[in-house]
Amino acid sequence: MLLALLQANAVVMDVDANCAAIDAAAEAAAAAGAAVLVTPELFPVGYAPRRVRAELDPDSLPGLHAKLATIARRHNIGLVYSLPQLTGQGEWHISATLLDAGGNTLLSYAKVHLFGADERAAFSPAAQPPAVVDFNGIRTSMVICYDVEFPEAVRAAAVAGAELLLVPTALAHGYDDVPQVLLRARALESQLSIAYANHSGVEEGCRFLGGSVIAGPDGRLLAAAGEEPQLLFAELDEGAATRARGDVPYLNERRPDLYRSWGG
């Protein structure tokens, strides 16, 4: 299965421009034969948590979801996108959605670990673990940005059966070790592939790293971006996770009851 990641510079609160960028990327990715396009965290609205919270009308969200579903359907490609989500209790979360090529929602996830004062001022942390679905024959899950830096989040997806983890992110410049070291360690220790799609350029004063990566279940980089906008591709070996787990059975040989007795 061919994966595509959009690394691009969003325009804060210019939904039309950002959706046009997703549309163009989806068209190019589909033409290349990709099964799914992963886009960065909060890309349709731009990454500026306080401003998004202050200016975004939550009544516009259903129409925005519909617009993104139309993009997936028009280009016959799976799509991962991230938007704010307003809960029934009035809490704002950062969410991610996986659509199939028909524009149908397969999976939703809300961010558990919020990063920095701006995110914590604008959003509330969610609490549900990452779920797993079958996407084109591959067991697939999602987390968002800072979540992937916690081994517990990735391991929860792996224990639930995930072989592929899709990660919209908004990682600032200066954190190069996250995609180059930490992401590879997460993929290796939980023996799944990870696709990590970041912003590039500057949005609301934040300079983004770029550096989007796709890592295999052996920790090897399958594709890596620089700082500039680009569409990143990698071919996913559908049997790689199974082989890795057969060679070194980390998941089967865990001792969670013992770990709980250790505390922490």
Side-chain angles (χ1 to χ4, degrees):
M1 184 171 77
L2 187 65
L3 304 178
L5 272 62
L6 172 63
Q7 178 171 290
N9 185 210
V11 183
V12 175
M13 294 308 298
D14 190 338
V15 169
D16 289 341
N18 298 332
C19 284
I22 293 174
D23 191 23
E27 182 177 21
V36 63
L37 172 68
V38 185
T39 66
E41 181 181 12
L42 294 178
F43 189 86
V45 294
Y47 185 84
R50 292 176 190 264
R51 185 174 166 194
V52 167
R53 175 64 186 270
E55 297 180 21
L56 182 67
D57 180 358
D59 290 340
S60 69
L61 287 170
L64 188 46
H65 283 284
K67 187 171 188 173
L68 291 158
T70 297
I71 290 172
R73 193 161 48 248
R74 177 164 58 243
H75 300 298
N76 193 36
I77 189 172
L79 180 64
V80 174
Y81 63 86
S82 170
L83 283 172
Q85 175 190 72
L86 184 61
T87 72
Q89 293 71 43
E91 292 185 324
W92 286 66
H93 290 164
I94 299 174
S95 75
T97 301
L98 169 63
L99 304 178
D100 67 14
N104 305 297
T105 299
L106 295 181
L107 187 62
S108 296
Y109 173 81
K111 190 174 185 178
V112 171
H113 302 91
L114 299 179
F115 182 82
D118 286 349
E119 282 195 12
R120 288 191 287 269
F123 297 102
S124 298
Q128 292 302 307
V132 179
V133 297
D134 186 291
F135 177 73
N136 288 24
I138 297 176
R139 300 293 289 166
T140 301
S141 188
M142 292 189 300
V143 297
I144 300 171
C145 196
Y146 195 36
D147 287 326
V148 81
E149 299 181 38
F150 293 82
E152 296 86 352
V154 180
R155 182 55 57 85
V159 169
E163 301 166 312
L164 171 63
L165 190 66
L166 306 174
V167 189
T169 194
L171 183 72
H173 197 271
Y175 292 93
D176 305 58
D177 285 347
V178 173
Q180 288 296 322
V181 178
L182 191 147
L183 260 293
R184 298 175 70 178
R186 292 289 167 271
L188 174 61
E189 71 194 3
S190 284
Q191 298 172 309
L192 42 62
S193 297
I194 300 180
Y196 182 83
N198 195 21
H199 295 250
S200 64
V202 177
E203 297 171 31
E204 203 75 4
C206 179
R207 180 185 172 193
F208 290 98
L209 175 67
S212 300
V213 297
I214 303 170
D218 57 359
R220 184 169 57 92
L221 284 181
L222 305 178
E227 291 191 27
E228 298 304 314
Q230 72 173 97
L231 201 54
L232 191 68
F233 292 94
E235 192 74 41
L236 186 67
D237 179 347
E238 298 177 14
T242 299
R243 290 196 301 274
R245 293 169 184 180
D247 290 342
V248 184
Y250 289 140
L251 301 183
N252 288 340
E253 294 184 348
R254 294 178 314 118
R255 301 182 63 188
D257 291 339
L258 178 61
Y259 308 150
R260 278 192 286 271
S261 75
W262 293 351

